[in-house]
Amino acid sequence: MKAIHALTVSVLLCSFAASAGAQSQQRPAAAPAAKAALATPSSIREEHAHLRQDLNEAIGSGGQTAVRARAVAAVLLPHFKAEEAYAMPPLGLLQALAEGQTLSREQRHKAMAMAQQLQAHYPQMLQEHRQIHTRLEALAAVARQEHKPAATAFANSLMLHAQNEEQVLYPATILIGKFLALRQPGGK
């Protein structure tokens, strides 16, 4: 399965690089991306803010739900900080890259460095997801016992959020770094 996944990622990356190369041959170089931001996309920032708010509400709900929610927070909050430092900002460049816009040298280098940092910490990030998932299962179980559906819904939402990061967002950040490295003069 990993071989199929790696092959799929390689095919997508090569197709993306070939498409970008063909586009640059068909038209003059695009102007620098004025609106491209090397920053966590607003949709992800807002989702993280909403999850933090739901976590705070679970902590404020008292009982064993609060105890379990604090255990989630102990792992989740530092994890979010790392994501927002290097795992998510390159995703802010996706639209500009898809539109064939030219990024500044600084944007390219920072995005590649962040993607490399994510790749280096990838096993740790996934381990933290497993820890968070285990703590969320415990939170959900206690919240059901204490009849706190909002805390149960939070636990389920955060588990889905982590799955999206593992299946889509983290790989996209890593691919952005690889794509930008391929587009550098001389490739990589």
Side-chain angles (χ1 to χ4, degrees):
M1 186 69 167
K2 284 186 178 184
I4 292 171
H5 179 67
L7 178 61
T8 302
V9 168
S10 296
V11 168
L12 288 172
L13 183 59
C14 290
S15 297
F16 192 46
S19 170
Q23 288 175 357
S24 67
Q25 291 173 5
Q26 293 172 355
R27 63 179 184 242
K35 59 184 173 185
L38 184 58
T40 301
S42 62
S43 60
I44 297 170
R45 280 194 323 268
E46 289 174 23
E47 185 176 14
H48 277 189
H50 182 73
L51 290 167
R52 282 184 183 104
Q53 180 181 347
D54 289 349
L55 175 61
N56 287 334
E57 289 174 11
I59 290 170
S61 72
Q64 285 300 305
T65 297
V67 171
R68 298 296 184 186
R70 280 192 288 278
V72 170
V75 180
L76 179 65
L77 298 179
H79 181 80
F80 273 1
K81 187 174 181 179
E83 284 181 343
E84 293 165 2
Y86 59 83
M88 300 302 168
L91 297 173
L93 301 174
L94 271 174
Q95 185 174 358
L97 290 171
E99 293 172 357
Q101 295 179 19
T102 303
L103 304 178
S104 72
R105 183 174 192 266
E106 181 182 4
Q107 286 175 313
R108 288 191 318 270
H109 286 281
K110 283 184 177 181
M112 287 188 295
M114 288 177 182
Q116 289 169 349
Q117 189 174 5
L118 173 59
Q119 194 159 18
H121 290 94
Y122 195 66
Q124 175 187 341
M125 299 296 274
L126 296 180
Q127 174 60 29
E128 289 170 4
H129 275 192
R130 287 188 292 275
Q131 290 174 339
I132 293 165
H133 190 274
T134 298
R135 292 173 187 209
L136 287 169
E137 286 177 332
L139 170 61
V142 167
R144 279 191 296 276
Q145 290 173 352
E146 294 183 339
H147 306 288
K148 297 179 180 176
T152 303
F154 158 72
N156 293 330
S157 293
L158 185 53
M159 284 188 263
L160 186 59
H161 173 83
Q163 186 178 13
N164 184 48
E165 289 176 344
E166 291 176 17
Q167 294 176 355
V168 180
L169 302 179
Y170 291 171
T173 293
I174 292 169
L175 284 175
I176 288 168
K178 290 179 179 184
F179 174 73
L180 292 173
L182 286 173
R183 290 187 69 190
Q184 289 198 116
K188 188 172 183 180

